[in-house]
Amino acid sequence: MTQSLLLLPGDGIGPEVTAVAKRVAGRLIAGGLDLAVAEGPFGGASIDAHGVPLTDETLARAKAADAVLMGAVGGPQWAGQPYDKRPEAGLLGLRAGMNVYANLRPARCFAALADASSLKRIHVEGLDILFVRELTGGVYFGTPRGVETLPDGSRRGVNTHVYTSAEIIRVTRVAFDLARGRTGAVCSAEKGNVMEAGLMWREEVQALRDAEYPDIKLSHMLADNMAMQLVKNPKQFDVILTDNLFGDILSDEAAMLTGSLGMLPSAAIGDAGTPGLYEPIHGSAPDIAGRGVANPCASVLSLAMALRYSLGRPDLAAGLEKAVEKALDAGARTPDLGGALTTAAMGDAILAHL
Ligand code: IPM
Ligand code: MG
């Protein structure tokens, strides 16, 4: 049966890097993969064309696809808008609408790039951390939220960090299941020393481990300590489980350990049988957009994650990851990696090893 991939190139360098992933998908299709690729408007591009960052039609098409590959959203031209009219609101709406509550963010250091890290090679060579970040709850979505003006003219801003036990348990399950295919070690981050909801997070994670996953080596760490440990000794971590906000922050920190934000893919998945949302971790990078120099590796590696988690082709995923690694080993580098290849030429290098 033909599977479907919806591309949402979005803004900034999004269309440039997604074009490379599209070429790679075309190659796999030519090689026999039964996949139909379509495209839709999203983010700032959708605001310009349709007035909103995520149209009902795009959301419906995303939910009907087998996998969605996004490029990037955002840019200075939309920054002054109210929150619900910003490109980022489209992304949050897409995550919530698709109910992709578990965000997998691998921070893997490619051997060829170990010297690009801000840490010494010994700390990052062989680094292989998998973040499992809760993606559809917490302070990103909690209510009440907003800013009010008080009678005395001063203002009061509110956002609410809120989780139910069901939300914690389902994302923890994803982390534990993935850990079983790795070393079995999971470290969960929260601020249970100051937040009731943080302590509850810890208790729910521990209770699921005790009830159903006795083989999982579970540890807990305060999020601030984890921020420190990630730069002190990152290789102590295997799977890291976090809420939405801590995961946003700590995964950016871990990404930098690997040398380039331009290398890292991500997957957002929900219940079995529902489509996943795949996207590079890097943003729209307005400073280099339109120049054809963006690194397409994260987009290509996100396509690999789609093949693994949504399209049932872990074999093709591994082949694609190998092709990226071989291209790097052979010296292929975009400017962010210290080289001079264009986005398209980096795509050529990857395709040459596929
Ligand atoms: C990310 C981004 C998003 C987030 C923004 C663009 C809304 O930083 O995917 O990490 O905060 O989740
Ligand atoms: Mg982020």
Side-chain angles (χ1 to χ4, degrees):
M1 205 188 67
T2 307
Q3 292 187 296
S4 62
L5 174 70
L6 179 65
L7 302 178
L8 301 177
D11 311 320
I13 61 171
E16 300 168 42
V17 298
T18 307
V20 174
K22 187 178 176 182
R23 270 172 71 206
V24 170
R27 169 75 72 86
L28 297 176
I29 291 165
L33 176 65
D34 194 2
L35 185 70
V37 180
E39 259 175 63
F42 188 56
S46 174
I47 293 177
D48 291 349
H50 307 285
V52 287
L54 173 65
T55 63
D56 293 343
E57 194 199 336
T58 295
L59 177 58
R61 290 172 70 199
K63 287 163 84 165
D66 290 294
V68 178
L69 180 63
M70 201 199 94
V73 290
Q77 61 270 55
W78 304 287
Q81 299 297 315
Y83 272 100
D84 58 338
K85 289 272 159 41
R86 287 192 200 173
E88 289 81 0
L91 180 54
L92 297 188
L94 188 64
R95 289 171 177 171
M98 293 177 71
N99 198 24
V100 284
Y101 52 79
N103 187 201
L104 320 184
R105 300 190 156 191
R108 261 188 72 205
C109 183
F110 288 85
L113 300 181
D115 291 316
S117 172
S118 43
L119 293 195
K120 294 194 188 81
R121 175 178 272 272
I122 147 173
H123 293 304
V124 295
E125 192 166 22
L127 183 78
D128 183 6
I129 297 175
L130 177 63
F131 272 85
V132 179
R133 166 194 177 193
E134 201 290 326
L135 200 60
T136 54
V139 76
Y140 276 60
F141 294 93
T143 52
R145 63 186 297 155
V147 178
E148 61 176 344
T149 302
L150 300 175
D152 71 356
S154 63
R155 298 195 301 159
R156 180 169 176 271
V158 179
N159 286 95
T160 303
H161 169 96
V162 53
Y163 275 109
T164 62
S165 48
E167 287 174 312
I168 298 169
I169 289 167
R170 64 183 183 176
V171 70
T172 302
R173 217 176 263 292
V174 172
F176 287 174
D177 287 340
L178 288 167
R180 280 183 168 162
R182 300 167 58 102
T183 69
V186 176
C187 186
S188 167
E190 29 62 26
K191 282 286 288 179
N193 54 344
V194 288
M195 294 165 63
E196 288 83 355
L199 182 58
M200 183 186 124
W201 176 283
R202 174 187 289 232
E203 290 166 354
E204 293 293 337
V205 170
Q206 185 67 48
L208 182 68
R209 143 74 177 65
D210 294 346
E212 293 181 39
Y213 293 85
D215 51 311
I216 292 295
K217 297 181 281 289
L218 175 65
S219 56
H220 305 274
M221 199 177 271
L222 296 176
D224 54 342
N225 184 27
M226 184 177 282
M228 188 264 277
Q229 296 291 339
L230 274 169
V231 287
K232 186 175 174 215
N233 175 19
K235 284 200 245 175
Q236 71 184 284
F237 297 109
D238 187 353
V239 173
I240 289 178
L241 171 65
T242 72
D243 72 16
N244 205 343
L245 183 60
F246 290 142
D248 180 46
I249 298 167
L250 295 170
S251 68
D252 259 29
E253 186 189 3
M256 219 37 236
L257 302 177
T258 69
S260 172
L261 216 48
M263 291 301 303
L264 298 182
S266 75
I269 58 175
D271 290 335
T274 63
L277 171 62
Y278 300 83
E279 50 171 305
I281 293 219
H282 63 67
S284 56
D287 51 323
I288 60 163
R291 293 177 23 209
V293 295
N295 183 349
C297 288
S299 182
V300 171
L301 292 169
S302 296
L303 175 63
M305 292 189 89
L307 288 161
R308 175 171 294 117
Y309 295 111
S310 286
L311 303 174
R313 292 302 298 267
D315 55 327
L316 294 181
L320 203 45
E321 287 160 356
K322 201 83 219 153
V324 171
E325 196 170 344
K326 282 190 191 154
L328 291 171
D329 287 344
R333 301 274 192 283
T334 39
D336 59 305
L337 304 175
L341 289 187
T342 62
T343 307
M346 189 72 190
D348 294 339
I350 296 168
L351 282 169
H353 288 93
L354 193 61

